[in-house]
Amino acid sequence: MILLGVNIDHCATLRQARYKGVSLEDPIVEPNPVSLSLVAEDSGADGITVHLREDRRHIQEGDVTALKQKMKTRLNLEMACTDAMTDFALKLKPNSVCLVPESRQEITTEGGLDVVSGKNRVKACIEAMNAAGIKTSLFIDPDPLQIEWSVKLGAPWIELHTGAYANAYYSSKRSAEFKRLVSAAELAHSLGLIVNAGHGINYVNIAEVKTLPYVHELNIGHSIVARSLSYGLHEAVAEMKRLMKL
Ligand code: PXP
């Protein structure tokens, strides 16, 4: 069974659009990504993923620490490979970290972390996490060179970037992109890596994505948060109408 990690960042994106700068404790502030993470867990999520970005555009430190205290499943912290984030992760002790690119210099042509050009920083971070018992995943393109270097640097996990495949889904490139993911998953598995995948996975492409070999966990965010709006809007409007009539 493939595990589902729910990326809850976009709940915080919606909150920050209205309440940036307001204390997370203020009762006016909504939606709350921490309580929504608990709903995701109750609904079957096997883990929660949050990306504490350096620009703090969605998830805030207070979210991550509250989530760590309250959640029951596994916390996967996406982060840039910086000293500040490494220190934060070592204090927080999430179950895993996923190193992702945040600046242009760290990005490969397709958007995964370029572990080859950043090898010294990536290796230092993996070693610090290994010593603290935290699994490190590297968010990389389905590229043999990136996979081979992930092994050389001592990463136990990778997360294959499914964005190029998702973007090509309705084009003639879909089959080639899917084959790249299949080959990448096979290579990574043969080299002893645990293979996760994520980005752009939705309610349509999941039928094919779930046939990828050796996938341990899928991290899915945008489509789940978007779907929850469609499902919840009916109830939300009806409740407001009811209150207006009282
Ligand atoms: N995995 C990683 C490493 C990501 O950065 C993201 C996007 O924040 C996701 C998975 C989830 O992607 P999406 O929101 O498109 O499902």
Side-chain angles (χ1 to χ4, degrees), residues 12-93:
T13 304
L14 184 58
R15 177 193 63 196
Q16 296 304 101
R18 171 59 63 95
Y19 294 113
K20 189 175 173 195
V22 181
S23 163
L24 301 182
E25 312 300 324
D26 192 320
I28 198 176
V29 173
E30 62 179 356
N32 182 337
V34 176
S35 53
L36 290 170
S37 296
L38 305 186
V39 174
E41 287 186 320
D42 284 348
S43 314
D46 300 292
I48 301 294
T49 292
V50 286
H51 184 178
L52 183 65
R53 293 183 59 95
E54 288 194 281
D55 62 13
R56 302 295 193 264
R57 77 168 67 143
H58 39 54
I59 289 290
Q60 308 294 306
E61 284 184 38
D63 294 321
V64 186
T65 44
L67 186 57
K68 174 79 186 351
Q69 281 163 15
K70 293 182 182 167
M71 66 186 294
K72 301 184 280 286
T73 60
R74 288 176 302 105
L75 175 61
N76 178 40
L77 176 69
E78 285 180 10
M79 55 179 246
C81 186
T82 62
D83 290 346
M85 281 310 306
T86 301
D87 289 349
F88 179 81
L90 291 174
K91 281 195 202 103
L92 180 77
K93 296 204 187 323

Side-chain angles (χ1 to χ4, degrees), residues 7 9-10 78 98 100 139 159 198-201 219-223:
N7 185 318
D9 294 344
H10 288 301
E78 285 180 10
C98 180
V100 297
F139 182 52
E159 180 170 327
H199 202 91
I201 300 171
N219 281 307
I220 307 180
H222 187 271
S223 65

Side-chain angles (χ1 to χ4, degrees), residues 227-240:
R227 175 65 62 110
S228 73
L229 283 179
S230 314
Y231 276 23
L233 191 61
H234 174 82
E235 207 175 306
V237 172
E239 171 70 355
M240 186 57 80

